[in-house]
Amino acid sequence: MNTNTPVIEISNLHKAYGALEVIKGVSITAHRGDVVSLIGSSGSGKSTILRCANLLEDSQQGDILFKGEPVRWAGTGAARRPADASQVLRIRTNLAMVFQQFNLWAHLTVLQNVMEAPVTVLRRPRAEVEKAARAYLDKVGIGDKCEAYPAQLSGGQQQRAAIARALAMEPEALLFDEPTSALDPELEQEVIRVIKALAAEGRTMMIVTHDMKMARDVSDHVIFLHQGLIEEQGEPEAVFGAPRSDRLRQFLSSTIPD
């Protein structure tokens, strides 16, 4: 891959649920090492964009490219679907998603949760995967919880286990969908520290978040969505420090305490 080729490139994306158009022509680019945060009020389309990028949702129009390779489609409009299942699997394994609700398997230990996909999907040797999984759990600060089950962990620990699980796939980019919104403020900080450390390592990330301080601290680029369109975007200093649009000013005044 050319070093200038974006890891993720979304061009003129449209997504509707029946008659309801949720994304109305959005373009987003994330180069290697970029941290791109998507902010906006509930229903603005932030999470839908992330799910379309990871091909968990089918979009009706627009291009999605991963490392310069366009997703191949069959059909058009409401009938459009990815044409190549092996391409979908490859892209999904390289764009690891961390969800709001952790999505850990309750019947597996934390270590087993982290190991499952590299062993079953990527078919990596179990001993090699276990060594890496333990290292990733150490990295997110819960190396002592390997043998615990998800129900025995706090919400913050469960989310850090979910991040370790994503890292174990050794993806090209991480997609975070509201990673702290299910947590109380104290546990939220545990997860934010991990995300900040990943940003400092130069990992490519797209983050949907309600946490304006985190978006300001970790992002290279911030995108403000309003009713399925990009209303404003730019570097954090500009977006948060000198918003140009009334809608963004109104949004920030309602989400950032004085």
Side-chain angles (χ1 to χ4, degrees):
M1 181 180 78
N2 184 314
T3 51
N4 294 322
T5 304
V7 177
I8 304 166
E9 190 174 0
I10 297 167
S11 177
N12 192 34
L13 189 74
H14 288 255
K15 167 68 180 173
Y17 296 99
L20 177 65
E21 196 174 11
V22 183
I23 309 296
K24 303 171 184 175
V26 166
S27 298
I28 297 171
T29 301
H31 287 87
R32 185 174 299 285
D34 281 355
V35 180
V36 177
S37 285
L38 309 183
I39 63 170
S41 55
S42 184
S44 60
K46 310 181 297 295
S47 293
T48 303
I49 290 170
L50 223 56
R51 294 176 71 84
C52 286
N54 201 33
L55 304 177
L56 290 170
E57 297 268 4
D58 295 329
S59 50
Q60 282 82 48
Q61 187 185 330
D63 296 311
I64 299 168
L65 292 87
F66 172 66
K67 298 200 301 186
E69 176 190 349
V71 173
R72 293 186 288 281
W73 301 99
T76 58
R80 183 167 98 150
R81 300 286 182 273
D84 183 346
S86 64
Q87 183 188 42
V88 171
L89 180 63
R90 183 159 37 83
I91 289 173
R92 275 202 198 138
T93 55
N94 274 289
L95 298 179
M97 191 120 165
V98 177
F99 298 90
Q100 182 178 345
Q101 296 296 346
F102 326 136
N103 289 12
L104 297 171
W105 289 293
H107 66 291
L108 299 180
T109 66
V110 167
L111 182 62
Q112 289 167 337
N113 264 281
V114 175
M115 290 176 60
E116 181 68 16
V119 169
T120 58
V121 178
L122 302 180
R123 304 198 182 285
R124 290 186 184 146
R126 183 170 287 277
E128 174 190 305
V129 170
E130 181 174 344
K131 184 179 177 185
R134 288 181 183 277
Y136 285 125
L137 287 164
D138 280 338
K139 186 187 191 75
V140 300
I142 54 168
D144 59 332
K145 301 293 182 186
C146 285
E147 303 310 319
Y149 287 87
Q152 297 170 305
L153 304 185
S154 70
Q157 289 169 334
Q158 288 187 58
Q159 189 59 293
R160 285 185 283 158
I163 294 171
R165 181 178 61 182
L167 290 170
M169 294 297 284
E170 295 177 1
E172 292 282 344
L174 291 159
L175 308 179
F176 289 91
D177 187 8
E178 296 275 17
T180 60
S181 64
L183 305 174
D184 66 43
E186 190 179 347
L187 299 179
E188 195 173 2
Q189 290 311 308
E190 298 175 358
V191 174
I192 289 170
R193 277 194 294 274
V194 171
I195 293 171
K196 283 183 177 176
L198 295 173
E201 287 178 6
R203 288 184 182 270
T204 309
M205 298 192 280
M206 281 178 64
I207 305 173
V208 167
T209 184
H210 70 289
D211 186 317
M212 296 304 107
K213 186 175 186 309
M214 180 174 74
R216 187 173 198 155
D217 289 350
V218 306
S219 306
D220 301 295
H221 193 76
V222 178
I223 295 172
F224 171 59
L225 288 144
H226 179 70
Q227 295 181 350
L229 288 164
I230 294 176
E231 175 77 17
E232 195 166 327
Q233 61 180 315
E235 293 182 356
E237 294 76 13
V239 169
F240 292 108
R244 298 187 305 276
S245 75
D246 288 339
R247 284 184 184 130
L248 177 55
R249 279 194 290 272
Q250 188 179 358
F251 172 76
L252 293 175
S253 69
S254 69
T255 54
I256 298 177
D258 294 330

